[in-house]
Amino acid sequence: MIVISDILELKKQIGEWKREGLSIGFCPTMGSLHAGHMDLVETSKNETDKTIMSIFVNPTQFNDPKDFAQYPIKTDDDLRLCEEKGVDLVFLPEVKTMYPETKTPISLSIPELQKHLCGRTRPGHFEGVLQIVSKLFHLTEPNKTFFGLKDYQQYRVISAMVENLNFPLEVIGVPTRREKDGLAMSSRNVRLSEKDRETASLIPRMFALAKKTILGGEKDIRLWKEILRDFLLTGSSLRIDYLEVVDPIHLQPKERLEGEVLLAIAVFVGEVRLIDNQIITIPS
Ligand code: PAF
């Protein structure tokens, strides 16, 4: 496995692969890798010749400096996992490589898709994500790129950027990998205390309740949200950041329970912010 921190070295390797006619799959990450990230790698390995992973905790996408400071970093373990899984190249840049002080920053946004959910409660987050991901796309020149669907809004925002700016690549959403009790895997889960980890299991149980009440004939969106909120709030260390029902394409709030809806939540369990979502088909 090749590990590169330097942009010129990266471009040289990619140039060689391109000249050999090899296709490139790209999995951007912030490290602290778990089985969910490995699903991205496996999908990339099945669909492309060479798989590149970037590991970079991107400062510009953290609206809360404390969250950035506490973001777990496990580079040695990450590199071991990448090697085991057969990643071909890991790009591991430093902050000054991605954000040289001499450059004037750019801001990208897709306002319609950022109006709700994390875009509303984490101002500046998606601008930071779009800034780093667009840079990484230019540097790695992938044919396909792989994003976890746990971060559904991120997947939609990136897809819209690729479409709008004609990036010559395909964005592929990879289903969320879950723990035994259904909690979505996340690098943040390691920060949960034992008690908070138990409380976090209310999240998958809430999604189960959501489906059950829909199958039971619930039609009132306001009532539905209230039932789900009340259920979540039985966790004493749990605080709801948002619980929204939006349409899965434009991410605008739904007024009626019909068709396909995206039920998306963000909660704080103790100090740790967790997100999850599911697309639910409402029976007609
Ligand atoms: O999903 C993430 O880990 C990050 O937002 C990403 C896409 C690597 C950009 O920093």
Side-chain angles (χ1 to χ4, degrees), residues 273-284:
R273 187 174 184 276
L274 302 173
I275 60 171
D276 202 351
N277 68 78
Q278 282 191 22
I279 293 181
I280 296 176
T281 306
I282 311 296
S284 44

Side-chain angles (χ1 to χ4, degrees), residues 174-193:
V174 176
T176 305
R177 174 71 85 107
R178 295 180 181 279
E179 304 284 358
K180 270 208 191 80
D181 66 352
L183 181 68
M185 284 196 184
S186 160
S187 306
R188 291 187 158 94
N189 291 356
V190 296
R191 288 178 49 211
L192 293 168
S193 68

